[in-house]
Amino acid sequence: MANYVTEEGLRKLQQELEQLTTVERPKISQQIAEARDKGDLSENAEYDAAREAQGLLELRIAKLQQTIIDSRIIDESKLDNSVVQILSKVTIRNIKMNKTMQYTLVAETEADFKSGKISINTPIAKGLIGKKVGDVAEIQLPAGKTSFEIVEISR
């Protein structure tokens, strides 16, 4: 399954992978060696903890490598601003509360709610995809069904 990312998003994934393989992996290997040097491995909690941390790290590295392999860079210049899609900056108004919010729809790996970037896989984003300015999206949220009006779509 393709993972659509911006060039910046791909660069961040590659930097994280580099950090894990060149810094974290050797650090855990050193911890395992130190724990092993302490003797009996059958009752060595430090050794067990370091081995478990190594397993989790290797799992993260493998997942990141696959994500990078599956990544497809999005050419933002070819995106249409008339409908909501990935990388759209959407201003929506909660009709019931008359509250306006702005989100940028991004790939899962680039989501950062604090900076207004929500994953394309969230219920809100899924409900907004394909809508145009003036459309109303009925979105099922944990608090119940909510209506959002599309106020503006930009980049």
Side-chain angles (χ1 to χ4, degrees), residues 1-69:
M1 185 175 100
N3 175 41
Y4 294 97
V5 294
T6 59
E7 284 187 46
E8 177 190 352
L10 183 59
R11 208 171 20 260
K12 285 181 181 178
L13 290 171
Q14 291 167 332
Q15 288 169 348
E16 182 182 355
L17 180 60
E18 179 78 12
Q19 168 76 15
L20 294 177
T21 56
T22 62
V23 177
E24 300 301 323
R25 185 184 269 162
K27 195 184 299 182
I28 286 183
S29 294
Q30 181 63 34
Q31 289 171 354
I32 290 171
E34 288 171 7
R36 190 181 302 126
D37 291 344
K38 292 183 180 174
D40 184 10
L41 297 181
S42 66
E43 294 183 19
N44 189 331
E46 284 180 50
Y47 178 79
D48 291 342
R51 291 290 297 176
E52 185 173 334
Q54 181 185 40
L56 293 173
L57 176 69
E58 292 302 325
L59 194 63
R60 177 70 183 137
I61 288 171
K63 186 172 192 250
L64 258 176
Q65 288 171 329
Q66 192 59 51
T67 299
I68 290 169
I69 288 168

